[in-house]
Amino acid sequence: MTTDSKTIPATLIAGDGIGPEIVESVTEILDTVGAPFVWDRQLAGMAGVDAVNDPLPKQTIESIRRTGLALKGPLTTPVGGGFKSINVTLRQEFGLFANLRPTKTIIPGGRFDDIDLVLFRENLEGYYAAMEHYIPVGDDPKGIALSSGFNSRAECRRIVKFAFEYAVKNNRKTVTIVHKANILKLLTGLFLEEGRKVAEEYKGRIEFNERIVDACAMQLVINPWQFDVIVTSNLFGDILSDLTAGLVGGLGMAPGANIGEKAAVFEAVHGSAPDIAGKGIANPLALLLAAVMMLRHVNRDDLADRIDAGIKKVITNGTVRTKDLGGNATTKDLTAALKQAVA
């Protein structure tokens, strides 16, 4: 996967709303640098419902099973109709246990500058794998809502080890384990217990500390520079990763990856923004940054570095920015500027 001549099959999901526009932009930029991906284009979200009445068609799942690699635009899970969350289904189907969310300042001069941290979230357990039911009270059949999440020792260990391995590989200095073991003594106590064991294995190579989740949220706003790599459970990771995105300008700058043993899915974590779909003003940067992560995943750091440098040049220069970044450029304007910068 490291040579120019090797092509790599990958599934491409355009998604809904602004999805097709930003996917087109990103694939053009990838073509410009000679990225090795050979795309198998598939449907999901509302496009899947319209085509085959399924937000995650079997054909799309089979494609990802075949390629083990996917880039996807934002998807809309239909409300009602008994449709399950597409992202949850993908995570469970392919055992995508690690959610990886890097947060890095691209636009200088914001409220926070020089942010560079990475958050790992356990993807398969916790409260997002909850068993929920109602308990009747008197004549109210829904008098009490009960939810029980779970963490397994094996998955707690796996996600923390994944975060430490990432830290070693990427010359990171510190891993912070985030928990709520002071209150949820068993559920997140197990996460902390396994985390401490893993940290011992990396002693002398990677520093380790731990934070209670509410204190971590406060400290991320007061002094985010103290954090390097954060690893936490499913619910806390979902909340904190959006908080960290806010430090660098919001979800429009936030790429994400869901990684398992057999497959990896890279995505823009923002929504499908139907209100601006078709207007040609969508910002493709989150998906482009996800594609950069995808290049690094297949050991093409050379191409990833070129795109990173191009983004820095165009965005730092500041003459070509979409409306959400304080400019007036269209998607096509930004794409053209980025293509020129990476060519």
Side-chain angles (χ1 to χ4, degrees):
M1 286 185 182
T2 54
T3 57
D4 288 73
S5 57
K6 268 200 176 168
T7 57
I8 300 170
T11 305
L12 185 66
I13 300 167
D16 301 311
I18 59 170
E21 298 166 65
I22 61 174
V23 163
E24 185 184 347
S25 165
V26 168
T27 51
E28 279 184 33
I29 294 161
L30 288 171
D31 287 346
T32 305
V33 298
F37 305 120
V38 178
W39 301 114
D40 179 17
R41 292 175 182 265
Q42 296 292 339
L43 299 174
M46 293 308 291
V49 173
D50 292 343
V52 293
N53 197 35
D54 189 344
L56 190 57
K58 288 183 177 64
Q59 200 175 328
T60 304
I61 290 174
E62 285 308 314
S63 173
I64 299 171
R65 188 167 285 124
R66 200 166 52 246
T67 63
L69 200 60
L71 181 67
K72 73 179 183 73
L75 300 174
T76 303
T77 297
V79 179
F83 294 119
K84 199 174 169 187
S85 162
I86 300 162
N87 283 341
V88 170
T89 306
L90 280 172
R91 286 166 195 165
Q92 290 172 344
E93 182 74 33
F94 295 105
L96 306 175
F97 68 93
N99 180 266
L100 166 57
R101 289 275 294 270
T103 304
K104 196 168 185 177
T105 302
I106 292 175
I107 299 175
R111 195 175 303 170
F112 298 94
D113 245 336
D114 299 319
I115 300 291
D116 184 8
L117 59 92
V118 180
L119 190 143
F120 285 90
R121 161 190 170 194
E122 197 287 314
N123 237 352
L124 301 176
E125 299 186 337
Y127 279 122
Y128 283 16
M131 281 88 36
E132 297 188 303
H133 62 275
Y134 291 111
I135 298 173
V137 176
D139 58 0
D140 182 359
K142 297 180 179 179
I144 295 173
L146 193 67
S147 177
S148 56
F150 68 92
N151 284 331
S152 69
R153 193 180 294 280
E155 288 300 342
C156 291
R157 177 175 180 80
R158 182 157 71 151
I159 188 64
V160 177
K161 192 160 181 68
F162 195 77
F164 271 91
E165 281 297 316
Y166 177 93
V168 170
K169 189 183 171 192
N170 292 278
N171 300 313
R172 297 279 179 165
K173 303 288 186 286
T174 310
V175 173
T176 302
I177 293 179
V178 175
H179 63 92
K180 191 65 181 171
N182 57 325
I183 304 294
L184 299 169
K185 292 181 189 296
L186 302 188
L187 185 72
T188 70
L190 186 68
F191 191 91
L192 180 59
E193 184 186 315
E194 281 308 301
R196 285 170 174 167
K197 286 184 199 168
V198 172
E200 274 299 306
E201 297 169 24
Y202 292 85
K203 207 167 184 177
R205 289 189 289 164
I206 301 291
E207 287 179 40
F208 153 72
N209 55 45
E210 50 194 65
R211 291 279 189 283
I212 294 171
V213 62
D214 37 336
C216 179
M218 178 184 71
Q219 288 169 17
L220 274 166
V221 175
I222 292 172
N223 177 19
W225 302 277
Q226 69 185 288
F227 296 101
D228 192 1
V229 174
I230 295 171
V231 60
T232 188
S233 53
N234 208 336
L235 173 63
F236 299 156
D238 190 14
I239 295 165
L240 291 180
S241 59
D242 274 20
L243 191 159
T244 58
L247 300 174
V248 296
L251 294 179
M253 311 296 284
N258 296 290
I259 298 171
E261 307 282 352
K262 295 175 182 171
V265 178
F266 297 83
E267 63 185 352
V269 296
H270 58 67
S272 57
D275 54 320
I276 61 164
K279 294 182 179 177
I281 57 171
N283 175 7
L285 280 177
L287 190 67
L288 182 59
L289 290 165
V292 167
M293 292 170 72
M294 190 166 161
L295 284 166
R296 296 197 190 284
H297 182 73
V298 299
N299 301 317
R300 290 308 305 264
D301 287 342
D302 55 332
L303 302 183
D305 289 344
R306 265 175 72 187
I307 295 175
D308 267 343
I311 292 170
K312 195 173 179 185
K313 185 177 174 184
V314 171
I315 299 302
T316 307
N317 191 13
T319 51
V320 187
R321 290 183 187 172
T322 47
K323 196 172 181 181
D324 61 309
L325 304 179
N328 290 305
T330 64
T331 311
K332 280 188 162 57
D333 294 337
L334 184 55
T335 306
L338 287 165
K339 280 165 72 176
Q340 192 178 349
V342 301

